[in-house]
Amino acid sequence: MIKGLALSTVWVLDQDRAKKFYTEKLGLELRTDMTLGEGGTRWVTVGARDQPEVELTLMVPGGPVMDEESAAAVRALVAKGVLGAGALATDDIHGDYQKLRERGVEFIQPPQERPYGTEAILRDDSGNWFSFTQPREDLDLDKEWA
């Protein structure tokens, strides 16, 4: 049976640039950087130091998992900045928001109170956006959603 999430794909436009962004700016650790077979797909994964069981694979859209027309469409959506890649958790939203901004991370929304916690929205170097959230223990339904 399923035991949990182990790997999630983030579509990026350039793996070298993405690897640098995710490790140097976001502070994730590099887990894997290899090529599968001669001339095969490059496999780059990163993850949070305190969460070794979960990795993000930074993949350029294309073969062998999709045809060129589909890859071009995915690249266009990533570059347009309309794809949300998930939520990244923190226990110090205001302090980490400042540190990440100092490292050059683009935020499209500063920290705001939400029913589920305090959330900022950041964008990676390819255009993907992430919720950057300090979760609260219980939903506070008196807080606004928007």
Side-chain angles (χ1 to χ4, degrees):
M1 295 306 301
I2 296 171
K3 293 183 178 184
L5 179 67
L7 181 71
S8 185
T9 299
V10 177
W11 298 110
V12 299
L13 302 177
D14 179 294
Q15 283 176 307
D16 288 322
R17 197 177 72 210
K19 180 174 85 168
K20 186 174 181 177
F21 177 86
Y22 281 83
T23 59
E24 294 179 14
K25 291 193 177 188
L26 294 185
L28 298 178
E29 65 181 13
L30 179 65
R31 302 271 175 81
T32 309
D33 187 350
M34 61 183 258
T35 301
L36 305 174
E38 189 174 327
T41 301
R42 184 170 174 202
W43 186 256
V44 178
T45 67
V46 296
R49 285 177 180 81
D50 293 338
Q51 196 176 26
E53 70 281 6
V54 178
E55 295 179 287
L56 298 176
T57 180
L58 309 175
M59 296 292 294
V60 175
V65 297
M66 66 180 73
D67 60 76
E68 183 48 41
E69 182 182 354
S70 298
V74 172
R75 285 192 300 271
L77 289 170
V78 169
K80 190 174 180 180
V82 298
L83 297 183
L88 303 172
T90 180
D91 58 6
D92 180 12
I93 186 76
H94 295 287
D96 290 341
Y97 168 78
Q98 287 298 81
K99 287 177 196 168
L100 293 176
R101 286 190 63 207
E102 289 168 7
R103 292 180 189 166
V105 174
E106 175 191 0
F107 280 86
I108 56 177
Q109 175 195 291
Q112 295 182 8
E113 294 299 316
R114 300 283 187 239
Y116 46 85
T118 307
E119 175 189 57
I121 306 290
L122 66 85
R123 192 178 301 284
D124 75 5
D125 66 306
S126 292
N128 298 296
W129 61 268
F130 285 86
S131 169
F132 184 55
T133 303
Q134 181 174 343
R136 76 175 80 255
E137 288 187 32
D138 296 310
L139 280 178
D140 181 353
L141 297 178
D142 292 329
K143 299 283 184 200
E144 296 206 17
W145 286 95

